[in-house]
Amino acid sequence: MTPADVLKLIKEKEAAIADLRFTDTIGKEQHVTVPTRLVDEGFFKDGKMFDGSSIAGWKGINESDMILMPDPATAVVDPFYEETTVNLRCDVIEPMTMQGYERDPRSLAKRAEAYLKSSGIADSALFGASRAATSRCRRSIHSRIFAPKCPWPASSWD
């Protein structure tokens, strides 16, 4: 989905609210809610500023400005709100560098996957909420990292 598709979805569903969602370091979902009249093409380029000091363990008050950068591919109409709401998953961005925040789990997962690809260990990675999740060579269809150059035999995981 592109930013134009999200704008079309907002218009078609007559959504009044955009809920910008992200996850803190310990896995708690956080959000910032804005009226959809603020969502335009530039919103997907500039993001939405928020106070990072309000998230436990993230920023001090003197350096708390952060950006929520919505990912248009994650747009979905929330079926549970009374007012029509479009949810958007966001990357947390450092405004000074415009890079992903080091304590943002989404940014961390993207950096981990990039490392796996660049090192030749894996082509992709699947991340989930399970605390007991492990990385494995992928020989079957579920719950494993695809790693054709995996140094250990897949049978050792079965």
Side-chain angles (χ1 to χ4, degrees):
M1 189 174 283
T2 67
D5 294 330
V6 175
L7 297 175
K8 183 178 175 185
L9 176 69
I10 289 170
K11 187 174 180 178
E12 285 177 357
K13 299 296 182 180
E14 298 179 0
I17 297 168
D19 203 35
L20 310 178
R21 297 182 176 194
F22 63 102
T23 306
D24 67 17
T25 309
I26 60 172
K28 181 179 177 186
E29 186 161 86
Q30 306 280 344
H31 69 109
V32 173
T33 303
V34 298
T36 54
R37 64 181 162 73
L38 299 179
V39 180
D40 58 16
E41 289 278 344
F43 188 77
F44 292 93
K45 293 179 184 136
D46 303 328
K48 171 72 176 148
M49 296 294 291
F50 81 105
D51 179 5
S53 70
S54 63
I55 308 302
W58 274 24
K59 293 280 198 164
I61 192 70
N62 60 327
E63 56 181 5
S64 62
D65 292 342
M66 302 185 87
I67 301 170
L68 289 176
M69 192 64 69
D71 179 354
T74 66
V76 62
V77 175
D78 193 314
F80 299 105
Y81 281 104
E82 187 174 327
E83 277 217 63
T84 306
T85 302
V86 172
N87 295 336
L88 290 158
R89 181 69 45 199
C90 295
D91 291 307
V92 179
I93 305 294
E94 286 276 10
M96 297 299 280
T97 63
M98 294 307 289
Q99 299 295 312
Y101 180 50
E102 64 184 15
R103 294 184 184 176
D104 170 30
R106 186 175 166 100
S107 174
L108 180 68
K110 287 180 177 183
R111 290 191 316 270
E113 186 171 43
Y115 173 77
L116 291 171
K117 286 179 181 179
S118 71
S119 65
I121 293 172
D123 296 322
S124 64
L126 303 174
F127 298 95
S130 172
R131 293 178 191 242
T134 58
S135 299
R136 301 178 181 182
C137 281
R138 183 178 179 163
R139 300 282 185 191
S140 67
I141 204 155
H142 38 254
S143 304
R144 297 187 180 178
I145 293 177
F146 179 67
K149 297 178 184 175
C150 191
W152 52 86
S155 60
S156 66
W157 296 103
D158 297 328

